[in-house]
Amino acid sequence: RIAALVALVAVTAYVVQRKTFDRVSDRMTSLTVPYGQRIRISLPDGSDVWLNSGARIEYPVIFKRGERRVSLSGEALFEVRHDEKCPFVVRTYASDIEVLGTKFNVVADEAHDRFSTALIEGRVQLSNRIDPRQPKIVMHPSEVVDLVDGRLAVAGNPDPEEMLCWTEGLVNIGGLSFAELMDKFEQVFDVRIVVARQTLPELGEINGKIRVNDGIDNALRIVQHAADFSYEKNVETNVVTIF
């Protein structure tokens, strides 16, 4: 009888613990990075995430058994802790990114229909959530996958310094249109930019990096070397007007 009672108590404790664990793992927490800031966080499994300005991540208080799943909107750099028995999945509007242990950068900007993944180390597998019929893509180090017309496509080999410069407080201004560049400036400098002219300025060839700490005025002055425009900044309203 004593042995049976001990076994019953042990089973009951296990069931209660299991239900408590499952209930806690269903609780979600989220974090949104204010414009003009960058944040580094550690997930419940010890994985590290660098979140760029405007990014939002959602993840459980405790990861469930057999899976580690987070949701991302915006840009983030992941360094995933290796666990072969527990795959790590990043869900975005365009793709589910499944990894075992790796380092990769993700841009998931649904508002501008922009998705990109750059693999720095390890290996990841991407599935297309917009077009589930597309076969999964297995990425290898030094590859980039972009979303093009609803399809995921390998775009080329990234320069890690170019892709990850934002983690060091730098803005890469190459390869963007004037509108895209102003959108990026709004995020990283935490300002509102209004274009008070009928057409956008034509942006000539421009490359390089701008340090965020130098401010929006310095950034716009640099862009003025490649585009014909003037601007005014209202300090009280934090609005920059492009003329």
Side-chain angles (χ1 to χ4, degrees):
R1 292 180 180 178
I2 294 176
L5 180 60
V6 171
L8 178 60
V9 171
V11 170
T12 302
Y14 173 79
V15 172
V16 171
Q17 183 183 27
R18 183 69 177 265
K19 288 184 177 180
T20 301
F21 182 90
D22 291 341
R23 184 168 60 251
V24 173
S25 65
D26 286 333
R27 291 171 51 193
M28 303 296 291
T29 184
S30 63
L31 173 67
T32 300
V33 183
Y35 281 2
Q37 298 185 27
R38 304 179 311 281
I39 294 177
R40 177 182 177 180
I41 64 171
S42 291
L43 298 177
D45 67 332
S47 297
D48 290 325
V49 185
W50 286 257
L51 297 162
N52 206 351
S53 59
R56 183 179 188 275
I57 190 171
E58 185 179 58
Y59 56 94
V61 175
I62 300 175
F63 285 120
K64 292 184 178 181
R65 295 176 178 85
E67 70 170 2
R68 296 172 289 169
R69 184 178 294 270
V70 304
S71 297
L72 173 71
S73 174
E75 184 170 16
L77 170 66
F78 289 84
E79 284 195 5
V80 178
R81 186 174 182 180
H82 179 74
D83 187 346
E84 187 174 351
K85 297 181 179 179
C86 191
F88 191 100
V89 178
V90 180
R91 167 155 287 200
T92 72
Y93 82 98
S95 174
D96 284 342
I97 306 165
E98 182 177 344
V99 305
L100 291 177
T102 190
K103 182 178 180 179
F104 60 101
N105 194 75
V106 181
V107 178
D109 185 354
E110 186 173 7
H112 298 90
D113 194 26
R114 182 169 175 248
F115 172 84
S116 178
T117 299
L119 182 60
I120 311 302
E121 299 172 1
R123 190 175 68 167
V124 301
Q125 178 176 266
L126 278 67
S127 59
N128 191 332
R129 298 189 63 213
I130 296 176
D131 184 3
R133 297 170 300 176
Q134 180 178 2
K136 295 181 179 180
I137 295 177
V138 177
M139 292 183 64
H140 300 282
S142 299
E143 284 187 342
V144 174
V145 169
D146 291 335
L147 182 70
V148 182
D149 297 328
R151 301 278 291 180
L152 297 175
V154 178
N157 298 324
D159 181 344
E161 291 187 2
E162 298 289 335
M163 296 295 302
L164 306 181
C165 68
W166 66 267
T167 63
E168 300 177 2
L170 301 172
V171 182
N172 184 4
I173 60 176
L176 299 174
S177 67
F178 188 86
E180 291 172 334
L181 196 53
M182 293 304 105
D183 286 340
K184 178 172 283 192
F185 283 177
E186 283 190 324
Q187 289 188 354
V188 299
F189 294 110
D190 189 21
V191 298
R192 181 169 172 246
I193 298 178
V194 177
V195 179
R197 47 186 289 170
Q198 293 184 343
T199 59
L200 290 174
E202 292 187 7
L203 185 62
E205 185 175 348
I206 185 171
N207 289 291
K209 305 178 185 69
I210 296 174
R211 187 167 297 280
V212 176
N213 288 344
D214 291 339
I216 182 65
D217 288 288
N218 175 69
L220 290 173
R221 284 194 294 267
I222 291 174
V223 177
Q224 282 179 323
H225 291 293
D228 184 17
F229 70 94
S230 59
Y231 74 93
E232 289 182 358
K233 180 182 177 182
N234 189 318
V235 178
E236 294 182 357
T237 62
N238 203 32
V239 173
V240 174
T241 304
I242 303 293
F243 299 101

